[in-house]
C-alpha cells in the first residue's frame, strides 16, 4: 500500500463544444474543444488536506468531479488506495463508500421533499451498512456530530439556514464512514460569519476521524486556514504546488504572486503589490507557450514559444521559465 491515499497522474479533460456535424459542413467550421484540465499530477497523503486554488475557469471543479468519478477523464489516471477510479470493478464499488463529495450549494444538493433524517440515512441504506434502530441511532449520532439536534431529523431542508444545511450535507457525506472527502467550495455560498464555523467543524472532524481532504476554493484566506499543501491552477494546468506556509511566505510563480497581491494586507506589512491584470485566456484557444504570458510581467520570447514544465525548486514544484533562469528575483 502506498503512502499517498490519492494519486492523480497526467489528468486531462477536453470538452467537445463543436456545433452539429451538418452545421459544420454547411458553415465550413471545424471541431472545437475546451481544454479544461491538462496534464495535472498530484498526490494526497493520508490525513492531509490538499487544496486547489485558481480563478473561475481554472479547472478546479472539473478536477474534483474527475477525482470522484462523476465525469470521465479524457486521459490520465486517478487512483485512490491503489484502486483506479473510472474502471468499473468490484474494488471501485467498495471504494465508492469511502469517498464522498461536499458541494458548493447546500440549497441545491438537498432534496427539498425529503426529511433530514431520510437524507442522512440514504448513504447508509444505499451501501447496506445498518438497518432499523441502529440506522436511526446512527443518524442521530451524525446530526449531533455536526452540531445539530436529534429532533432536526423530522424537519425539511427549507427549515434550516445556509450554514445548517451545509452541516446536513457534511453529516450525509460522513454517513458511509468515508476516509476521503472532496470539498468543492463548501463555504462560498455561505455568509462570512458562518464560514469560519463550518471550516472549524471540518477541521475538527478531520482530527477525530482521520479524514483526507481535497479542498477546492478560489478564496486564499480559506485555503490558508485549511490546507497543508496548495496547488495553484491556471487555465487547467498546475503552475505551483507548495506547502501552505511556503506558498504564502515565498510564492515562486508570477501568477501565485499576483493572486496573493490581491488579498487584503490585514497585517499592514507595507509590502509593494501589483494588481491582477487581464482576463484568464480563452480555453477554446489557449495562448502558445506559457498560457500565462499575456498577463505576466516577466514574460519573454521563450515564454511565448515554449510551455514551461514543472520542476522542483526547494520544497516547491513550479512551472516557470523565469524561476528556472533565476530572473524572477529582483537584482541586488
Ligand atoms: Fe511568466 Fe514566462 Fe514564467 Fe509563464 S513561464 S509565468 S510567462 S515568466
Amino acid at each position: 500500500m502506498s503512502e499517498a491515499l490519492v494519486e492523480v497522474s497526467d489528468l486531462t479533460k477536453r470538452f467537445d463544444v463543436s456545433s452539429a456535424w451538418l452545421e459544420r459542413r454547411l458553415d465550413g467550421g471545424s471541431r472545437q474543444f475546451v481544454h479544461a484540465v491538462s496534464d495535472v499530477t498530484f498526490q494526497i497523503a493520508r490525513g492531509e488536506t490538499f487544496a486547489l486554488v485558481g480563478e473561475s475557469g481554472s479547472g478546479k471543479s472539473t478536477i474534483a468531479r474527475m477525482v470522484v468519478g462523476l465525469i470521465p477523464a479524457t486521459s490520465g489516471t486517478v487512483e485512490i488506495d491503489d484502486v483506479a477510479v473510472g474502471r468499473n470493478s468490484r474494488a471501485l464499488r467498495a471504494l465508492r463508500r469511502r469517498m464522498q463529495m461536499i458541494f458548493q450549494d447546500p440549497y441545491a444538493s438537498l432534496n427539498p421533499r425529503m426529511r433530514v433524517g431520510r437524507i442522512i440515512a440514504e448513504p447508509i441504506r444505499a451501501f447496506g451498512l445498518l438497518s432499523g434502530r441502529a440506522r436511526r441511532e446512527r443518524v442521530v449520532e451524525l446530526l449531533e456530530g455536526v452540531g445539530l439536534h436529534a429532533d432536526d431529523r423530522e424537519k425539511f431542508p427549507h427549515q434550516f439556514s445556509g450554514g445548517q444545511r451545509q452541516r446536513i450535507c457534511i453529516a450525509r457525506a460522513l454517513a458511509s464512514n468515508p476516509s476521503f472527502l472532496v470539498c468543492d467550495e463548501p463555504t462560498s455560498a455561505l455568509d462570512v460569519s458562518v464560514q469560519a464555523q463550518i471550516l472549524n467543524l471540518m477541521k475538527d472532524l478531520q482530527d477525530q476521524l482521520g479524514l483526507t481532504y481535497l479542498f477546492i476554493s478560489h478564496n486564499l484566506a480559506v485555503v490558508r486556514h485549511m490546507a497543508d499543501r496548495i496547488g495553484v491552477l491556471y487555465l487547467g494546468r498546475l503552475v505551483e504546488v507548495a506547502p501552505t506556509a511556503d506558498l504564502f511566505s515565498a510564492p515562486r510563480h508570477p501568477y501565485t504572486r499576483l493572486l496573493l497581491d490581491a488579498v487584503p494586507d490585514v497585517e499592514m506589512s507595507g509590502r509593494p503589490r501589483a494588481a491582477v491584470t487581464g482576463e484568464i485566456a480563452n480555453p477554446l484557444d489557449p495562448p502558445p507557450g506559457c498560457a500565462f504570458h499575456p498577463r505576466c510581467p516577466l514574460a519573454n520570447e521563450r515564454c511565448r514559444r515554449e510551455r514551461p514544465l514543472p520542476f522542483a525548486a526547494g520544497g516547491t514544484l513550479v512551472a516557470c521559465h523565469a524561476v528556472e533562469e533565476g530572473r524572477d528575483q529582483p537584482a541586488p
Side-chain angles (χ1 to χ4, degrees):
M1 195 182 287
S2 64
E3 260 302 290
L5 178 69
V6 182
E7 294 254 12
V8 173
S9 305
D10 299 321
L11 199 62
T12 296
K13 182 69 187 178
R14 279 179 297 140
F15 291 105
D16 187 347
V17 292
S18 318
S19 44
W21 174 80
L22 185 58
E23 222 172 295
R24 289 204 310 273
R25 293 297 295 234
L26 293 173
D27 297 348
S30 56
R31 294 184 72 175
Q32 287 195 302
F33 295 91
V34 170
H35 301 264
V37 176
S38 302
D39 301 322
V40 166
T41 296
F42 60 85
Q43 298 81 34
I44 312 177
R46 290 165 208 281
E48 185 186 32
T49 299
F50 180 71
L52 288 173
V53 292
E55 291 165 285
S56 178
S58 61
K60 311 180 293 289
S61 294
T62 305
I63 294 174
R65 282 163 172 71
M66 284 193 284
V67 166
V68 294
L70 282 179
I71 56 173
T74 304
S75 62
T77 57
V78 177
E79 287 190 3
I80 299 175
D81 233 352
D82 299 325
V83 177
V85 174
R87 292 209 193 101
N88 208 4
S89 64
R90 182 177 294 194
L92 178 61
R93 282 194 288 281
L95 183 68
R96 291 216 181 280
R97 180 191 68 71
R98 296 182 44 217
M99 59 178 181
Q100 293 292 327
M101 188 155 177
I102 299 171
F103 294 92
Q104 175 178 357
D105 187 354
Y107 296 83
S109 58
L110 297 173
N111 185 336
R113 293 166 192 271
M114 281 167 78
R115 291 183 196 276
V116 164
R118 211 175 131 209
I119 289 173
I120 295 174
E122 198 69 8
I124 306 174
R125 189 180 291 119
F127 291 109
L129 299 178
L130 296 168
S131 60
R133 185 174 170 176
R135 185 160 66 207
R136 287 194 294 279
E137 285 175 356
R138 174 71 177 136
V139 168
V140 170
E141 185 188 27
L142 285 160
L143 276 169
E144 291 177 345
V146 297
L148 295 171
H149 196 270
D151 295 343
D152 289 333
R153 67 189 187 283
E154 299 302 331
K155 298 179 183 168
F156 289 95
H158 73 267
Q159 294 175 275
F160 295 88
S161 67
Q164 288 171 324
R165 285 186 221 201
Q166 197 57 298
R167 287 175 192 268
I168 296 167
C169 293
I170 294 170
R172 178 181 58 183
L174 296 176
S176 61
N177 304 323
S179 48
F180 175 49
L181 288 185
V182 176
C183 314
D184 187 5
E185 303 264 15
T187 57
S188 59
L190 304 178
D191 290 344
V192 176
S193 57
V194 187
Q195 288 187 6
Q197 294 170 18
I198 297 295
L199 294 174
N200 288 334
L201 170 67
M202 292 179 71
K203 268 188 158 263
D204 291 345
L205 290 168
Q206 182 174 36
D207 291 342
Q208 284 167 28
L209 306 171
L211 298 168
T212 303
Y213 287 148
L214 171 59
F215 198 91
I216 309 288
S217 182
H218 67 281
N219 185 331
L220 283 165
V222 166
V223 295
R224 187 178 200 174
H225 182 67
M226 290 298 290
D228 300 303
R229 283 186 309 127
I230 297 174
V232 181
L233 281 164
Y234 188 75
L235 211 64
R237 288 185 189 274
L238 272 177
V239 295
E240 182 163 0
V241 179
T244 302
D246 295 356
L247 191 106
F248 280 87
S249 62
R252 303 302 307 268
H253 197 279
Y255 176 59
T256 313
R257 291 186 198 176
L258 285 180
L259 282 182
L260 291 182
D261 282 351
V263 177
D265 185 6
V266 289
E267 286 154 17
M268 309 283 276
S269 65
R271 183 168 59 86
R273 291 157 168 271
V276 179
T277 54
E279 294 286 320
I280 198 162
N282 181 359
L284 272 173
D285 183 21
C290 173
F292 188 56
H293 83 248
R295 302 169 72 184
C296 181
L298 300 177
N300 66 8
E301 193 43 45
R302 185 184 178 201
C303 303
R304 285 183 267 278
R305 205 183 54 239
E306 185 187 327
R307 184 162 52 76
L309 297 174
F311 70 99
T316 296
L317 268 183
V318 59
C320 173
H321 295 315
V323 177
E324 190 190 337
E325 294 162 9
R327 59 183 174 84
D328 61 318
Q329 305 296 341

